[in-house]
Amino acid sequence: MFYKKSRAKVGGKYKWFPRACVNKHTVNTQDLGEAISRKCTVTPADVHAVIRSLPEVMSFFMENGNSVHLDGLGSFYYKLSCAGNGVDTPEEVSTEQVKAVRVQFIPERRKENGKYCRVLGERVELVKFGD
């Protein structure tokens, strides 16, 4: 993973931080389908169809209060964002407080050598980009 130097204002002073570089070419569903099909016996078209169906099916289960766990990837569930709009009593709680419904993702973790490691990002090697 590449990073570059980035300046940001913190507490009235500018500080320097590493910032992740993201490639301008986004990997799309077609790219994923072709890459997955090379790792198994399923055709790219079949993989593409499954990937395209996944959001609708996940949404159905999550809208019904379930979290969705994908083995080797992690768990997804809905989370309400109320942006500091708390009320004083339980009777005042209403949907009017909700500013957004967000999808929370927690990467899967596994135990290795007595400690837990996240599946995504655990083997990321940082490489300085450019200057």
Side-chain angles (χ1 to χ4, degrees):
M1 173 179 186
F2 291 100
Y3 74 92
K4 61 183 173 182
K5 299 173 190 174
S6 178
R7 192 171 85 144
K9 199 170 194 177
V10 179
K13 296 173 80 174
Y14 283 100
K15 300 285 184 175
W16 288 91
F17 298 92
R19 185 179 63 162
C21 295
V22 178
N23 193 331
K24 288 184 182 182
H25 172 73
T26 300
V27 176
N28 61 29
T29 307
Q30 186 69 33
D31 299 330
L32 286 174
E34 290 171 6
I36 291 169
S37 74
R38 288 191 294 270
K39 293 187 156 285
C40 59
T41 60
V42 182
T43 69
D46 290 339
V47 174
H48 185 82
V50 170
I51 292 172
R52 296 289 297 207
S53 299
L54 189 60
E56 183 181 339
V57 173
M58 286 177 64
S59 190
F60 170 80
F61 284 108
M62 290 165 56
E63 287 167 6
N64 286 291
N66 299 99
S67 64
V68 174
H69 179 82
L70 299 176
D71 292 340
L73 185 60
S75 297
F76 298 81
Y77 61 93
Y78 286 135
K79 181 178 181 179
L80 302 179
S81 174
C82 296
N85 293 322
V87 292
D88 295 326
T89 65
E91 293 77 27
E92 295 177 89
V93 173
S94 76
T95 57
E96 299 297 316
Q97 294 171 266
V98 177
K99 296 299 174 199
V101 177
R102 303 192 190 286
V103 175
Q104 181 76 41
F105 170 68
I106 300 174
E108 186 167 296
R109 62 184 191 154
R110 64 173 174 258
K111 198 169 187 176
E112 286 183 8
N113 301 324
K115 68 178 204 176
Y116 285 98
C117 301
R118 296 280 180 200
V119 173
L120 295 175
E122 70 183 21
R123 292 188 177 92
V124 172
E125 179 183 328
L126 296 173
V127 178
K128 189 171 153 184
F129 181 79
D131 181 340

